[in-house]
Amino acid sequence: MDYVIPPPDIASIPVIGRSTRFPVRRVYCVARNYAAHAREMGFDPQRDPPCFFCKPADAIVPVEADGVGQIAYPLATENYHHEIELVIAIGRSGKNIAVERALDHVWGYAIGLDMTRRDLQTALRAKGMPWELGKSADQSAPIGPITPATDCPHIADAAIWLKVDEALRQESRTAQMIWSIAEVVSCLSAYFELHAGDLIFSGTPEGVAAVERGALLRGGIEGLGELSVRVV
């Protein structure tokens, strides 16, 4: 097929133990999925339906295992926050997926960072406006290699942590999520038909804070290894 301009590259992520890569279709994110983080943001954690938002697929910055990725400090912010998250990689299409069948649609998991222009997000939210500008900056979704789901059977209760310049900032367990992995997939599929290649950032624990240019972010999730990213 011919195009009037060169088509953009397809975002893709390395896969542990394979030479093939995981192509990215859409990027969904869950807001306030850890109770302590909801409280630090000034909200009362509830078991209401989860709040979802999106990032563009080209916000993805793939980071190879044992490598150090780079992300640019974005435009229009003076308060850029880190948020370490478990990322769910969808491998099978479905809509209105039952919770009991939701994990059948998961191909694998990865470590991701939902980088956030907090000053923009807070200002827009105070005005009752969508806060996409706070969440969808260029290079705002660095992510490590995907591990197939069959290779991480204990991911539902895994340690998750983040250090900034070796100072511990975030520490929790995935079992502390308000909505489990299966519930997140099921709830999201009631709004969108999920397809292979979709990613879901599942929420961040407490301890989010601003980073400066030059900061080294190093985080990990038990069973998935580590992710290292420098802000430049």
Side-chain angles (χ1 to χ4, degrees), residues 8 35 38 57-58 64 81 101 119 125 142 144 147 152-153 160-161 167 174 181 195 197 205 230:
D58 65 3
E64 301 288 339
H81 277 211
R101 305 299 299 173
D119 42 3
R125 188 172 59 205
T147 298
C152 41
I160 179 171
W161 56 271
T174 57
I181 295 168
H195 291 277
R230 188 172 296 279

Side-chain angles (χ1 to χ4, degrees), residues 88-119:
I88 305 161
I90 298 297
R92 185 175 134 197
S93 298
K95 57 185 176 181
N96 290 318
I97 301 167
V99 172
E100 298 77 17
R101 305 299 299 173
L103 296 184
D104 295 340
H105 294 259
V106 176
W107 194 91
Y109 301 95
I111 307 167
L113 285 166
D114 168 19
M115 301 300 294
T116 302
R117 292 189 280 206
R118 190 72 72 200
D119 42 3

